[in-house]
Amino acid sequence: MGLSKNVRKMIAAGLFASTVLTMGCGSTATTAGAQPEAGTDVAAATSTTGEDDKVELRYLLWGNQEEIEFKQKFTDAFNAQSDHIHVNLEAIPEGFHEKLTVQVSSNTLADMVQIAGDFGGEYFKEGYFEPLDSYIEADGLQDAWADSVMGGLTYDGKVYAAPLTFNSGFIFYNKTMFEENNVPLPTNDWTEEDFIKAAQALTKGEGQDKTWGIDMTSWWAYSLARNLYDGYKAWDWETGTMTADTQGYRDGVQFMTDLYQKYQVSPTPTQAADIGGSFETGKYAMTIGAAWDMKGFNEAIGDSFDWDIVTFPANEKYGKWRSPLWTTAIGISATTPYKAECWEYIKYMALSDEVQAEIETVGLPALKKTSEDPAFLTTFPEGYKPFDKKVYFDALDYSVDGVVLNEIQDGIMKPELELVFAGEEDVDTAIKNIQEKGQLKLDRMKNQ
C-alpha cells in the first residue's frame, strides 16, 4: 500500500520537526512509514537472520548522545541474553524525519520505530503500525503505564506504541529567595493569584542588580501562550482549522502579555540577551522547566542557593495551566514479519528492572511500577540535591498531547507574540493575524 494523501502532505510539509529534538531531550515528531506495495519482499526489506540464526531487527530512533548511548547499552544487554533475537539501532541524532522519509519511500521501514505522543494519530489511522493490544493483554499489562501518556499512543480505542519515558512542564523556584523575602513557598495547590503575588513581591531592584519574579524569556513563553488555559492549541489539525480566535486562547495570550506589561515580573524574550543567564544566576525567583533541566541546574547552581520544583498554579476559570506532554515510545511496523520478536525487545526496554533502574537519566519513567515506587521518589541521581520528585508525576495531570505545527508556531505565532509581549502590537490584532495567516497556511497544506 502506498502513502495516503494526508501522510504525503505531512511529509512534504515537514510538519513534525520537534523543538525538543533540537534541545536534545524528550520527544520529537516526524511521519510514520507506509506499508510496502504488493510484491515487496518484506523480510528482505526489513530483517534477516544472521549466521547464528538470530533474527536481526532494526530499530529506528532519534536522540541526543546520552539518550542513544543509554539505549545502545541496554540493547547490547538484551542481545547478549537473547538466544534468538539481535536488535540493531539506527540512531539519528539529527535529521530523523528525513531518514524516516527515505525508509518510507523505499519500502525499507525498520521493524520498530520510536514514536512521540504528539504525532501518532494520523499514522495509526492509516495502518502503518501494529496495534499492540493483544500483546499487552496477553502479558497482563493493561494498567502498566501512567494513564496520561497513553492518549497520544492510542487511536480508535487501540494502543499502537509502548511508552518508555515522558516529560512535561513545571516551575522551578528559588527557595532561598522566597524565604529571605518572607514570601510563602508555593505548594501544589497554589492559585494563579498566589503566583502573581509571589512574582510581584520578588521583582525588585534596578539595573544589573534587579531580581525578577519569573523568567519567561525562553521558548516556553510561546508554548505556554498556546497551551496555557484548558489546552487550547490555536489549531485543530484533524479538521485543518485554526482556533486562535477562541476565548481560551485569547485569555492565555493576554495573561502572558500581562506578565510583561501589566505586572512587569519578567523581562520580555527580546530583553533576555541584555540580562544574561537564567534561573541558575539567582536573578529569577522562578522559571518554567522540565526534568531535562535538572542536570544542568544542579551543576550550575551548586550551593549558591536552595531550590525546589512545584506544579503549575491554577486559574480560577480554566484550572491548572496546561503543559505540552512529550512522550517517547516504541511502535512495531505493521509489515514486519517479526512482530513477536519486536515485542520481546519492547518489553525489555519498557518493563525490565535493569532499564528502569537507570531510565531517569534520559527521561521520566512512564511505567507505574517505577514512578509509584517510594524508593524511586526518594532517590536522586548522583550530584542532585533532594527535591519534590512527586511533582514530575503530578504534572502529568495537566499535560496535553497535540500535533506540533512548527510552520505556524515558529513562523507565524512567535513573530506576532514577540510584538505583543514587547508592547508593539495589541493582543486582538496579533490574534487576528495569527488566525488568518495560520488558516492560509493550513489551507495550503491541505491542497499540497
Side-chain angles (χ1 to χ4, degrees), residues 170 283 288 302 343:
F170 45 81
K283 296 179 181 180
I288 308 294
W343 180 244

Side-chain angles (χ1 to χ4, degrees), residues 66-74 358-359 361-362:
E66 186 175 25
E67 292 166 336
I68 292 171
E69 289 178 353
F70 174 88
K71 289 169 184 174
Q72 186 65 66
K73 171 184 175 179
F74 287 105
E358 298 184 34
I359 202 166
T361 62
V362 296

Side-chain angles (χ1 to χ4, degrees), residues 130-145:
E130 181 72 9
L132 302 182
D133 302 84
S134 60
Y135 301 99
I136 290 172
E137 292 169 7
D139 287 315
L141 300 174
Q142 296 93 324
D143 196 41
W145 298 287

Side-chain angles (χ1 to χ4, degrees), residues 102-147:
V102 169
Q103 292 193 3
V104 168
S105 61
S106 60
N107 294 324
T108 57
L109 185 63
D111 304 276
M112 295 175 285
V113 178
Q114 186 161 296
I115 296 174
D118 55 7
F119 75 87
E122 184 69 30
Y123 316 97
F124 304 154
K125 179 172 66 175
E126 297 291 342
Y128 304 130
F129 290 96
E130 181 72 9
L132 302 182
D133 302 84
S134 60
Y135 301 99
I136 290 172
E137 292 169 7
D139 287 315
L141 300 174
Q142 296 93 324
D143 196 41
W145 298 287
D147 297 335

